[in-house]
Amino acid sequence: MKAIELIKELNEGASTPERTCDTIKAGNPERELFKVGVTMFATVDTVRQAKEWGADMLIVHEPTYYDHMEVVTEETPVILAKRALIEESGIVIYRYHDNMHFRDVDAIAEGELHYLGLQGKLEKTPYSASGLFVSDTPISALELAERMKKDLGIAHPRIAGARDAKGTHIATCFGTPKGVFELLCDDSVDIVLTGEACEWKIAEYARDAAALGMNKSLIVMGHIGSERDGMRLLAERMKEKYSFETRYFECGEVYTYAE
Ligand SMILES: [Fe+2]
Ligand SMILES: [Fe+2]
């Protein structure tokens, strides 16, 4: 199977927007595939690891060159060196972003909820592409954050607002989508999960809501912690489906901590 043929199959069932970031960022689309890597980010480290493994292709969720549409306005030393590394590796890099999100069930949210082991139903909301998850069992923000540490490997999920009150309506704003504040303001929502948040606005709203006696909380998972499990699940499914070798490369969280 060629890279371009795999891309076509991966995109089945998605309602891709006309202007999409899901394009090949490097390499020859006609390349025959024997080894395919999957990762959240084409970091310098994941590219090096994929190259060492002998990857023909690397499927990534996020930008390689620090811009959503990969518009490079200045060839900085980092961009030049990274591009040289990628080109020298010959690996086909394909961004698989919109085609993960724009589906009946957002494939990133599916992976996150799958590895969190939550049972319930993911419903559409007008605010977030990922949706509103209605859990079969009430759960508190603290219990959810503990699961994130244990099952998603997030070092420090951060909670603003009510820690211990249990709720069933969990808004999923994985990554950095629009609509986080609107979902937090929505009466029917108990907990909002997001990758990144504007602290002075969104986290402080959750803190005040809880202080006023409302069952409302925000969990900030970090961008990678909030999306990588969608890619992890993709790799698992590809291993079952395809005859070429598939390997998931862990890029790790972007921050390290003093403790
Ligand atoms: Fe993202
Ligand atoms: Fe995403």
Side-chain angles (χ1 to χ4, degrees):
M1 177 179 249
K2 291 176 178 170
I4 194 74
E5 292 167 336
L6 173 62
I7 290 167
K8 206 169 158 225
E9 282 198 15
L10 289 173
N11 294 344
E12 280 167 12
S15 36
T16 320
E18 210 170 298
R19 186 169 178 267
T20 180
C21 58
D22 289 14
T23 57
I24 292 174
K25 310 300 177 188
N28 178 3
E30 298 293 322
R31 184 159 172 159
E32 203 65 42
L33 301 176
F34 300 96
K35 288 183 171 189
V36 177
V38 176
T39 189
M40 178 68 184
F41 270 90
T43 61
V44 167
D45 278 344
T46 55
V47 171
R48 282 181 181 148
Q49 286 171 37
K51 183 188 164 197
E52 201 175 305
W53 178 58
D56 300 295
M57 183 177 183
L58 190 59
I59 300 171
V60 305
H61 187 66
E62 296 293 7
T64 300
Y65 298 111
Y66 326 106
D67 179 83
H68 184 59
M69 298 304 285
E70 311 282 10
V71 176
V72 174
T73 49
E74 195 193 340
E75 297 284 341
T76 68
V78 169
I79 290 173
L80 286 170
K82 189 173 185 183
R83 192 181 291 120
L85 172 77
I86 287 170
E87 281 176 8
E88 196 255 321
S89 76
I91 297 172
V92 180
I93 295 190
Y94 174 64
R95 179 141 184 234
Y96 191 39
H97 177 274
D98 293 348
N99 287 293
M100 292 284 280
H101 288 297
F102 291 89
R103 293 181 174 271
D104 286 344
V105 177
D106 183 302
I108 290 287
E110 193 185 359
E112 293 298 317
L113 296 165
H114 171 83
Y115 289 110
L116 273 171
L118 296 176
Q119 305 297 319
K121 195 168 177 284
L122 191 62
E123 297 172 353
K124 290 273 180 211
T125 78
Y127 302 123
S128 163
S130 330
L132 177 71
F133 181 74
V134 183
S135 174
D136 292 346
T137 316
I139 190 164
S140 71
L142 186 58
E143 287 166 340
L144 256 176
E146 278 163 355
R147 277 184 191 230
M148 287 170 185
K149 285 180 86 164
K150 187 167 84 53
D151 300 322
L152 306 186
I154 301 175
H156 294 292
R158 295 187 288 170
I159 304 168
R163 279 164 72 83
D164 301 310
K166 289 182 193 273
T168 50
H169 285 58
I170 304 165
T172 67
C173 301
F174 299 125
T176 322
K178 292 186 183 123
V180 181
F181 188 68
E182 288 77 2
L183 281 160
L184 202 59
C185 295
D186 187 322
D187 257 0
S188 67
V189 173
D190 302 310
I191 303 171
V192 177
L193 312 183
T194 191
E196 300 182 60
C198 174
E199 202 169 299
W200 65 262
K201 175 172 177 155
I202 298 168
E204 291 296 351
Y205 184 91
R207 172 151 73 171
D208 280 348
L212 292 165
M214 298 171 205
N215 179 17
K216 189 74 76 183
S217 54
L218 172 79
I219 306 181
V220 181
M221 304 165 70
H223 201 113
I224 288 166
S226 78
E227 291 203 286
R228 69 176 151 194
D229 295 280
M231 299 308 277
R232 194 171 142 203
L233 187 59
L234 169 70
E236 287 311 309
R237 290 188 172 158
M238 284 176 59
K239 278 181 200 169
E240 288 163 18
K241 187 170 177 186
Y242 295 107
S243 58
F244 54 72
E245 243 187 288
T246 302
R247 184 183 286 189
Y248 173 73
F249 290 92
E250 176 56 59
C251 66
E253 291 183 57
V254 68
Y255 296 114
T256 57
Y257 301 94
E259 50 172 279

